Amino acid sequence: VCPWTGHLSKAGLGFVADRRVIMAMLVLCVIYPLCCVENLSSLRFVSSTSMGLMAAFVMVLIYRMHVPFAGSTLVDTTPSMESRPRGTVSLESFLTNLSGVPIITFAFSCHVCIFPIYNTLEQPTVGRMSMVILLAVSMCMCLYGMVSIVGQFVFGDQICPNLLNNFRVDDPLLGA
């Protein structure tokens, strides 16, 4: 997958390139420390970064819609984008993808964090908190909506529930 994987395998450290190890290290080194912060206002840069990464993902999807990845060297069980019907959307596939609505609804249920967020505002008022909520939900709705619409057009009826699984593992833009 990565050019440095072979070097790690020769050194006896091939397990470091395993996806589970990478995710465990990410949780331990990034996610856990972020969960331990006392003041939620210190997470504003992380939130901005995550929204920026989601916007970059939308750009990658749009790019892959126009320029499919053809330089595959690895055997992959995921059908390549070239063999998929492009832009075909059926009612059945649309309704199947609606199964993600409960997950999105849960993601938007920020009732647990409302009071700590309210306390971190410089001048906490109901009007300002309403504006924060409106802005956050609107930004997420726009980005997730764009990902779902563009993803449906890029992958058609063969879209996986996890959109990242549609990309080939050797795709230089987004190997997942």
Side-chain angles (χ1 to χ4, degrees), residues 40 106-119 129 133:
L40 285 179
F106 180 74
F108 284 131
S109 64
C110 54
H111 63 281
V112 176
C113 297
I114 289 293
F115 295 114
I117 292 171
Y118 182 80
N119 289 333
M129 190 63 202
I133 292 170

Side-chain angles (χ1 to χ4, degrees), residues 118-170:
Y118 182 80
N119 289 333
T120 60
L121 291 176
E122 288 181 17
Q123 297 172 351
T125 63
V126 174
R128 294 186 93 180
M129 190 63 202
S130 297
M131 186 59 72
V132 167
I133 292 170
L134 178 69
L135 223 104
V137 170
S138 298
M139 285 173 36
C140 287
M141 187 178 71
C142 288
L143 282 174
Y144 282 110
M146 285 191 300
V147 166
S148 66
I149 291 168
V150 174
Q152 187 72 40
F153 281 116
V154 170
F155 300 111
D157 286 337
Q158 277 80 31
I159 193 167
C160 295
N162 181 351
L163 193 59
L164 292 174
N165 289 339
N166 288 297
F167 289 94
R168 300 193 52 118
V169 295
D170 56 344

Side-chain angles (χ1 to χ4, degrees), residues 6-57:
H7 300 295
L8 288 174
S9 296
K10 289 177 187 174
L13 299 172
F15 69 92
V16 175
D18 184 21
R19 183 178 184 167
R20 292 172 294 198
V21 172
I22 292 171
M23 294 201 48
M25 294 303 294
L26 188 70
V27 167
L28 287 174
C29 297
V30 177
I31 305 293
Y32 179 70
L34 290 174
C35 291
C36 295
V37 297
E38 292 183 22
N39 190 356
L40 285 179
S41 65
S42 60
L43 295 176
R44 66 184 180 273
F45 299 114
V46 175
S47 296
S48 300
T49 303
S50 68
M51 294 303 281
L53 289 173
M54 183 60 85
F57 183 57

